Amino acid sequence: MPVKVAIVRQGSTLVSFVSFNLSSAATGGKDFPLPNAVIDAQVGKLAKQS
């Protein structure tokens, strides 16, 4: 499937990260990695705001 979703809870805040890969969709749903570095960076920013 060309869509991946990650849900993160930080205290009372709930965020979702969606990754959509058009290339994967064109190749019949071939698996692709979730961009963990991007998610980690965003969660780090969220933690600083808390």
Side-chain angles (χ1 to χ4, degrees):
M1 177 173 258
V3 177
K4 293 196 177 188
V5 178
I7 308 292
V8 178
R9 180 176 176 218
Q10 183 79 26
S12 63
T13 302
L14 187 67
V15 295
S16 63
F17 301 97
V18 179
S19 179
F20 184 76
N21 188 320
L22 291 174
S23 176
S24 176
T27 59
K30 191 173 181 180
D31 197 23
F32 63 97
L34 191 63
N36 290 327
V38 174
I39 293 172
D40 290 342
Q42 293 300 318
V43 169
K45 288 179 184 179
L46 179 62
K48 288 180 183 178
Q49 290 180 355
S50 298

Short mmCIF file of all heavy atoms in Angstrom, two decimals:
data_model
loop_
_atom_site.label_atom_id
_atom_site.label_comp_id
_atom_site.label_asym_id
_atom_site.label_seq_id
_atom_site.Cartn_x
_atom_site.Cartn_y
_atom_site.Cartn_z
N MET A 1 0.85 -1.18 0.00
CA MET A 1 0.00 0.00 0.00
C MET A 1 0.89 1.24 0.00
O MET A 1 1.87 1.30 0.72
CB MET A 1 -0.91 -0.03 1.22
CG MET A 1 -1.77 1.19 1.34
SD MET A 1 -2.97 1.07 2.67
CE MET A 1 -4.40 0.70 1.71
N PRO A 2 0.57 2.25 -0.78
CA PRO A 2 1.43 3.43 -0.90
C PRO A 2 1.26 4.48 0.19
O PRO A 2 1.75 5.58 0.06
CB PRO A 2 1.03 4.01 -2.25
CG PRO A 2 -0.39 3.60 -2.43
CD PRO A 2 -0.50 2.26 -1.78
N VAL A 3 0.56 4.15 1.28
CA VAL A 3 0.33 5.11 2.36
C VAL A 3 0.79 4.50 3.68
O VAL A 3 0.50 3.35 3.97
CB VAL A 3 -1.15 5.50 2.46
CG1 VAL A 3 -1.38 6.44 3.62
CG2 VAL A 3 -1.65 6.11 1.18
N LYS A 4 1.51 5.30 4.48
CA LYS A 4 1.88 4.88 5.84
C LYS A 4 1.52 6.01 6.79
O LYS A 4 1.62 7.18 6.44
CB LYS A 4 3.37 4.60 5.92
CG LYS A 4 3.75 3.38 5.10
CD LYS A 4 5.09 2.86 5.45
CE LYS A 4 5.35 1.60 4.64
NZ LYS A 4 6.55 0.93 5.04
N VAL A 5 1.09 5.63 7.98
CA VAL A 5 0.66 6.60 8.98
C VAL A 5 1.35 6.30 10.30
O VAL A 5 1.47 5.14 10.69
CB VAL A 5 -0.88 6.55 9.18
CG1 VAL A 5 -1.33 7.52 10.24
CG2 VAL A 5 -1.59 6.81 7.87
N ALA A 6 1.81 7.34 10.98
CA ALA A 6 2.38 7.21 12.32
C ALA A 6 1.60 8.17 13.22
O ALA A 6 1.37 9.33 12.87
CB ALA A 6 3.85 7.56 12.32
N ILE A 7 1.19 7.68 14.39
CA ILE A 7 0.47 8.47 15.37
C ILE A 7 1.35 8.60 16.60
O ILE A 7 1.90 7.61 17.09
CB ILE A 7 -0.86 7.80 15.77
CG1 ILE A 7 -1.70 7.45 14.54
CG2 ILE A 7 -1.63 8.67 16.75
CD1 ILE A 7 -2.23 8.62 13.78
N VAL A 8 1.50 9.83 17.10
CA VAL A 8 2.36 10.09 18.26
C VAL A 8 1.56 10.89 19.28
O VAL A 8 0.88 11.85 18.93
CB VAL A 8 3.62 10.88 17.86
CG1 VAL A 8 4.48 11.19 19.06
CG2 VAL A 8 4.42 10.11 16.81
N ARG A 9 1.69 10.49 20.53
CA ARG A 9 1.06 11.24 21.62
C ARG A 9 2.16 11.82 22.50
O ARG A 9 3.07 11.12 22.93
CB ARG A 9 0.17 10.32 22.46
CG ARG A 9 -0.48 11.06 23.59
CD ARG A 9 -1.43 10.17 24.34
NE ARG A 9 -1.95 10.91 25.48
CZ ARG A 9 -2.17 10.38 26.66
NH1 ARG A 9 -1.95 9.11 26.86
NH2 ARG A 9 -2.63 11.12 27.62
N GLN A 10 2.08 13.12 22.74
CA GLN A 10 3.03 13.82 23.60
C GLN A 10 2.21 14.57 24.63
O GLN A 10 1.63 15.61 24.33
CB GLN A 10 3.88 14.79 22.76
CG GLN A 10 4.94 15.53 23.51
CD GLN A 10 6.16 14.66 23.74
OE1 GLN A 10 6.42 13.75 23.00
NE2 GLN A 10 6.91 14.97 24.76
N GLY A 11 2.11 14.01 25.83
CA GLY A 11 1.24 14.61 26.85
C GLY A 11 -0.20 14.50 26.40
O GLY A 11 -0.69 13.42 26.10
N SER A 12 -0.89 15.64 26.31
CA SER A 12 -2.28 15.63 25.87
C SER A 12 -2.42 15.93 24.38
O SER A 12 -3.52 16.03 23.86
CB SER A 12 -3.08 16.65 26.67
OG SER A 12 -2.59 17.95 26.43
N THR A 13 -1.29 16.06 23.68
CA THR A 13 -1.30 16.37 22.25
C THR A 13 -1.16 15.08 21.44
O THR A 13 -0.30 14.26 21.72
CB THR A 13 -0.15 17.32 21.88
OG1 THR A 13 -0.27 18.50 22.67
CG2 THR A 13 -0.19 17.68 20.41
N LEU A 14 -2.00 14.94 20.43
CA LEU A 14 -1.97 13.80 19.54
C LEU A 14 -1.70 14.31 18.13
O LEU A 14 -2.40 15.21 17.65
CB LEU A 14 -3.31 13.06 19.58
CG LEU A 14 -3.41 11.76 18.84
CD1 LEU A 14 -2.51 10.71 19.50
CD2 LEU A 14 -4.84 11.27 18.82
N VAL A 15 -0.66 13.78 17.48
CA VAL A 15 -0.33 14.21 16.12
C VAL A 15 -0.26 12.98 15.21
O VAL A 15 0.03 11.88 15.67
CB VAL A 15 0.99 14.99 16.04
CG1 VAL A 15 0.89 16.30 16.78
CG2 VAL A 15 2.15 14.18 16.57
N SER A 16 -0.51 13.20 13.93
CA SER A 16 -0.39 12.11 12.96
C SER A 16 0.52 12.57 11.82
O SER A 16 0.51 13.73 11.43
CB SER A 16 -1.76 11.70 12.43
OG SER A 16 -2.36 12.77 11.73
N PHE A 17 1.30 11.63 11.32
CA PHE A 17 2.20 11.87 10.20
C PHE A 17 1.82 10.89 9.10
O PHE A 17 1.73 9.69 9.34
CB PHE A 17 3.66 11.64 10.60
CG PHE A 17 4.11 12.54 11.72
CD1 PHE A 17 4.10 12.08 13.03
CD2 PHE A 17 4.52 13.83 11.47
CE1 PHE A 17 4.52 12.90 14.07
CE2 PHE A 17 4.93 14.66 12.51
CZ PHE A 17 4.92 14.19 13.81
N VAL A 18 1.58 11.40 7.90
CA VAL A 18 1.17 10.57 6.78
C VAL A 18 2.24 10.65 5.70
O VAL A 18 2.71 11.73 5.35
CB VAL A 18 -0.19 11.04 6.22
CG1 VAL A 18 -0.60 10.19 5.04
CG2 VAL A 18 -1.25 11.01 7.29
N SER A 19 2.62 9.49 5.18
CA SER A 19 3.58 9.41 4.09
C SER A 19 2.92 8.71 2.92
O SER A 19 2.37 7.62 3.07
CB SER A 19 4.82 8.64 4.55
OG SER A 19 5.75 8.53 3.50
N PHE A 20 2.94 9.35 1.74
CA PHE A 20 2.33 8.79 0.54
C PHE A 20 3.39 8.69 -0.53
O PHE A 20 4.07 9.67 -0.82
CB PHE A 20 1.17 9.67 0.07
CG PHE A 20 0.44 9.13 -1.10
CD1 PHE A 20 -0.44 8.08 -0.95
CD2 PHE A 20 0.64 9.64 -2.37
CE1 PHE A 20 -1.12 7.56 -2.04
CE2 PHE A 20 -0.04 9.14 -3.46
CZ PHE A 20 -0.92 8.09 -3.30
N ASN A 21 3.57 7.52 -1.12
CA ASN A 21 4.62 7.30 -2.12
C ASN A 21 3.98 6.97 -3.47
O ASN A 21 3.47 5.87 -3.67
CB ASN A 21 5.52 6.16 -1.64
CG ASN A 21 6.73 5.98 -2.51
OD1 ASN A 21 6.66 6.08 -3.72
ND2 ASN A 21 7.85 5.69 -1.88
N LEU A 22 4.01 7.93 -4.39
CA LEU A 22 3.41 7.72 -5.71
C LEU A 22 4.15 6.65 -6.51
O LEU A 22 3.55 5.90 -7.27
CB LEU A 22 3.39 9.03 -6.49
CG LEU A 22 2.43 10.09 -5.97
CD1 LEU A 22 2.61 11.40 -6.74
CD2 LEU A 22 1.01 9.61 -6.04
N SER A 23 5.45 6.57 -6.33
CA SER A 23 6.23 5.54 -7.02
C SER A 23 5.80 4.15 -6.59
O SER A 23 5.69 3.23 -7.39
CB SER A 23 7.72 5.74 -6.74
OG SER A 23 8.48 4.71 -7.33
N SER A 24 5.53 3.99 -5.31
CA SER A 24 5.05 2.71 -4.80
C SER A 24 3.69 2.36 -5.39
O SER A 24 3.42 1.21 -5.71
CB SER A 24 4.97 2.75 -3.27
OG SER A 24 4.43 1.56 -2.77
N ALA A 25 2.85 3.35 -5.54
CA ALA A 25 1.53 3.12 -6.13
C ALA A 25 1.66 2.65 -7.57
O ALA A 25 0.93 1.78 -8.02
CB ALA A 25 0.69 4.39 -6.05
N ALA A 26 2.63 3.21 -8.30
CA ALA A 26 2.83 2.85 -9.70
C ALA A 26 3.44 1.47 -9.87
O ALA A 26 3.27 0.84 -10.92
CB ALA A 26 3.71 3.89 -10.38
N THR A 27 4.14 0.98 -8.84
CA THR A 27 4.80 -0.33 -8.95
C THR A 27 4.00 -1.43 -8.26
O THR A 27 4.55 -2.47 -7.91
CB THR A 27 6.22 -0.28 -8.35
OG1 THR A 27 6.13 0.10 -6.97
CG2 THR A 27 7.12 0.67 -9.10
N GLY A 28 2.73 -1.20 -8.03
CA GLY A 28 1.88 -2.23 -7.47
C GLY A 28 1.91 -2.33 -5.96
O GLY A 28 1.65 -3.39 -5.40
N GLY A 29 2.23 -1.26 -5.27
CA GLY A 29 2.20 -1.26 -3.82
C GLY A 29 3.45 -1.78 -3.16
O GLY A 29 3.41 -2.28 -2.04
N LYS A 30 4.59 -1.67 -3.83
CA LYS A 30 5.86 -2.12 -3.25
C LYS A 30 6.14 -1.34 -1.96
O LYS A 30 5.93 -0.13 -1.90
CB LYS A 30 6.99 -1.91 -4.26
CG LYS A 30 8.28 -2.56 -3.87
CD LYS A 30 9.29 -2.46 -5.00
CE LYS A 30 10.57 -3.15 -4.60
NZ LYS A 30 11.57 -3.08 -5.67
N ASP A 31 6.62 -2.04 -0.93
CA ASP A 31 6.87 -1.41 0.37
C ASP A 31 7.94 -0.33 0.28
O ASP A 31 8.86 -0.42 -0.53
CB ASP A 31 7.29 -2.48 1.38
CG ASP A 31 7.16 -2.00 2.81
OD1 ASP A 31 6.38 -1.06 3.06
OD2 ASP A 31 7.85 -2.56 3.67
N PHE A 32 7.82 0.69 1.12
CA PHE A 32 8.79 1.77 1.19
C PHE A 32 8.99 2.14 2.65
O PHE A 32 8.12 1.91 3.47
CB PHE A 32 8.33 2.99 0.37
CG PHE A 32 7.06 3.62 0.87
CD1 PHE A 32 7.09 4.71 1.70
CD2 PHE A 32 5.81 3.11 0.51
CE1 PHE A 32 5.94 5.30 2.18
CE2 PHE A 32 4.64 3.69 0.97
CZ PHE A 32 4.70 4.79 1.81
N PRO A 33 10.15 2.71 2.99
CA PRO A 33 10.42 3.04 4.39
C PRO A 33 9.67 4.29 4.84
O PRO A 33 9.44 5.22 4.07
CB PRO A 33 11.93 3.29 4.42
CG PRO A 33 12.26 3.72 3.03
CD PRO A 33 11.31 2.98 2.13
N LEU A 34 9.29 4.29 6.09
CA LEU A 34 8.69 5.46 6.71
C LEU A 34 9.81 6.46 7.01
O LEU A 34 10.86 6.05 7.49
CB LEU A 34 7.99 5.05 8.00
CG LEU A 34 7.09 6.04 8.68
CD1 LEU A 34 5.91 6.39 7.79
CD2 LEU A 34 6.57 5.47 9.98
N PRO A 35 9.65 7.74 6.71
CA PRO A 35 10.73 8.72 6.93
C PRO A 35 10.92 9.03 8.42
O PRO A 35 10.50 10.07 8.91
CB PRO A 35 10.28 9.94 6.13
CG PRO A 35 8.78 9.83 6.12
CD PRO A 35 8.48 8.36 6.10
N ASN A 36 11.56 8.12 9.13
CA ASN A 36 11.72 8.25 10.58
C ASN A 36 12.49 9.50 10.99
O ASN A 36 12.19 10.08 12.03
CB ASN A 36 12.41 7.01 11.15
CG ASN A 36 11.50 5.80 11.08
OD1 ASN A 36 10.30 5.92 11.21
ND2 ASN A 36 12.07 4.64 10.85
N ALA A 37 13.47 9.92 10.21
CA ALA A 37 14.24 11.12 10.56
C ALA A 37 13.35 12.36 10.60
O ALA A 37 13.47 13.20 11.49
CB ALA A 37 15.38 11.31 9.58
N VAL A 38 12.44 12.46 9.67
CA VAL A 38 11.52 13.60 9.61
C VAL A 38 10.56 13.55 10.81
O VAL A 38 10.32 14.56 11.48
CB VAL A 38 10.73 13.62 8.28
CG1 VAL A 38 9.67 14.70 8.28
CG2 VAL A 38 11.68 13.78 7.11
N ILE A 39 10.03 12.37 11.09
CA ILE A 39 9.11 12.22 12.21
C ILE A 39 9.83 12.53 13.53
O ILE A 39 9.30 13.25 14.38
CB ILE A 39 8.50 10.81 12.22
CG1 ILE A 39 7.59 10.65 11.01
CG2 ILE A 39 7.73 10.56 13.51
CD1 ILE A 39 7.08 9.25 10.79
N ASP A 40 11.04 12.03 13.70
CA ASP A 40 11.81 12.31 14.93
C ASP A 40 12.05 13.80 15.10
O ASP A 40 11.95 14.33 16.21
CB ASP A 40 13.14 11.56 14.91
CG ASP A 40 12.96 10.06 15.06
OD1 ASP A 40 11.88 9.61 15.51
OD2 ASP A 40 13.91 9.32 14.72
N ALA A 41 12.36 14.50 14.01
CA ALA A 41 12.59 15.95 14.08
C ALA A 41 11.32 16.68 14.49
O ALA A 41 11.36 17.61 15.33
CB ALA A 41 13.10 16.46 12.75
N GLN A 42 10.19 16.29 13.94
CA GLN A 42 8.93 16.95 14.28
C GLN A 42 8.52 16.66 15.72
O GLN A 42 8.01 17.55 16.41
CB GLN A 42 7.83 16.52 13.30
CG GLN A 42 8.05 16.99 11.89
CD GLN A 42 8.10 18.50 11.78
OE1 GLN A 42 7.32 19.21 12.40
NE2 GLN A 42 9.06 19.01 11.03
N VAL A 43 8.74 15.44 16.18
CA VAL A 43 8.42 15.10 17.56
C VAL A 43 9.33 15.89 18.52
O VAL A 43 8.89 16.34 19.57
CB VAL A 43 8.54 13.58 17.80
CG1 VAL A 43 8.48 13.23 19.28
CG2 VAL A 43 7.45 12.84 17.03
N GLY A 44 10.59 16.09 18.12
CA GLY A 44 11.50 16.90 18.92
C GLY A 44 11.01 18.33 19.06
O GLY A 44 11.07 18.92 20.13
N LYS A 45 10.50 18.89 17.97
CA LYS A 45 9.95 20.25 18.01
C LYS A 45 8.71 20.31 18.90
O LYS A 45 8.51 21.26 19.64
CB LYS A 45 9.58 20.71 16.60
CG LYS A 45 10.76 21.01 15.72
CD LYS A 45 10.29 21.44 14.35
CE LYS A 45 11.44 21.67 13.40
NZ LYS A 45 10.97 22.06 12.05
N LEU A 46 7.90 19.28 18.82
CA LEU A 46 6.69 19.21 19.64
C LEU A 46 7.06 19.15 21.11
O LEU A 46 6.46 19.82 21.95
CB LEU A 46 5.87 17.98 19.26
CG LEU A 46 4.59 17.73 20.03
CD1 LEU A 46 3.61 18.88 19.83
CD2 LEU A 46 3.97 16.42 19.62
N ALA A 47 8.09 18.39 21.46
CA ALA A 47 8.52 18.27 22.85
C ALA A 47 9.02 19.60 23.40
O ALA A 47 8.79 19.92 24.56
CB ALA A 47 9.62 17.20 22.96
N LYS A 48 9.67 20.41 22.55
CA LYS A 48 10.16 21.71 22.99
C LYS A 48 9.01 22.69 23.26
O LYS A 48 9.15 23.58 24.08
CB LYS A 48 11.09 22.31 21.92
CG LYS A 48 12.42 21.60 21.86
CD LYS A 48 13.31 22.23 20.80
CE LYS A 48 14.61 21.48 20.67
NZ LYS A 48 15.46 22.04 19.63
N GLN A 49 7.90 22.53 22.58
CA GLN A 49 6.76 23.43 22.76
C GLN A 49 5.97 23.10 24.02
O GLN A 49 5.24 23.93 24.51
CB GLN A 49 5.82 23.34 21.55
CG GLN A 49 6.42 23.96 20.30
CD GLN A 49 5.47 23.86 19.13
OE1 GLN A 49 4.39 23.26 19.21
NE2 GLN A 49 5.87 24.44 18.01
N SER A 50 6.13 21.88 24.50
CA SER A 50 5.36 21.47 25.69
C SER A 50 5.86 22.10 26.94
O SER A 50 6.97 22.37 27.15
CB SER A 50 5.41 19.96 25.83
OG SER A 50 4.82 19.36 24.70
#
